[in-house]
Amino acid sequence: MAQFQESQQGGQTEPRKFSWLKQIVAIIAVVAVIALVFGRRGRNSTMKLSAEDGGITMTYEDFSLTIKYDEIEEIQLMDELEMGECLSGGTIGNYQYGEYESAELGEYTLCITSKADNYLLVDQTDGTRAVFNWSGTQDTSALYDGILEVLNDQ
C-alpha cells in the first residue's frame, strides 16, 4: 500500500520516497551476504584426530584422512613443505585440506593446520601419499613418535 503526502504545489499528492529505508535494507543485505560468505571461515572449527587399533583418522569439516598402520610403508617428520597446487579441497581459517600436487611430492592428500611448523609425510603401500600435522608443533612430533611406537610393536 503506497503512502502519500501532500505536495507543496497545488495540493497534488505524490508517493513518499523511502530512501533512508532503502539504504538500511541495502546495508542489512550486504551484512547478511558477508556473514554467509565469511561466516564459515570465522567459526571455531577444529581438526579432529581419532586413533583406533588399526590407524588414525584426521577429520576437518566434511573432509577426512585415514591412515592405517599396516598400510604405512614409510613415515617422515618434515620441517618444511612445498605444497604445490591444490587440485581439490581448500583453506578455511588455519586449516588446509584436500588433494594437492607438487614437483617434490607428486600427488598427495593434505590435512594440516598452520598452528604447527612441522608435518608428517606418509607413503602408503598402495602408492599414495599423505601429509598431515596436528594442533601444534609439539603435538605433531608426539603424534609422529606415537605412530613410530605402534609401527615398532607390530
Side-chain angles (χ1 to χ4, degrees), residues 33-153:
V33 168
I34 291 171
L36 286 173
V37 170
F38 294 105
R40 185 173 179 182
R41 292 184 187 152
R43 239 177 13 200
N44 289 333
S45 297
T46 58
M47 190 183 306
K48 294 176 179 57
L49 171 70
S50 60
E52 298 117 21
D53 290 340
I56 61 169
T57 300
M58 307 287 294
T59 306
Y60 179 72
E61 297 288 324
D62 57 354
F63 178 83
S64 76
L65 167 66
T66 298
I67 305 291
K68 295 184 178 178
Y69 298 129
D70 62 353
E71 294 177 4
I72 295 176
E73 190 171 288
E74 183 180 356
I75 185 169
Q76 300 174 43
L77 182 63
M78 304 180 343
D79 292 327
E80 294 181 18
L81 174 64
E82 178 63 41
M83 283 192 289
E85 179 183 357
C86 178
L87 304 175
S88 66
T91 301
I92 298 177
N94 294 323
Y95 302 99
Q96 289 181 275
Y97 58 94
E99 301 300 321
Y100 283 72
E101 182 176 29
S102 74
E104 179 184 343
L105 298 176
E107 286 189 29
Y108 65 97
T109 302
L110 179 77
C111 192
I112 63 170
T113 176
S114 62
K115 295 178 184 178
D117 295 328
N118 52 2
Y119 313 91
L120 300 180
L121 169 63
V122 174
D123 289 317
Q124 300 178 86
T125 56
D126 65 359
T128 59
R129 290 186 133 174
V131 174
F132 58 97
N133 61 14
W134 188 226
S135 60
T137 303
Q138 290 179 339
D139 292 335
T140 300
S141 296
L143 179 60
Y144 173 72
D145 292 339
I147 292 172
L148 284 180
E149 189 175 315
V150 169
L151 293 176
N152 288 333
D153 288 344

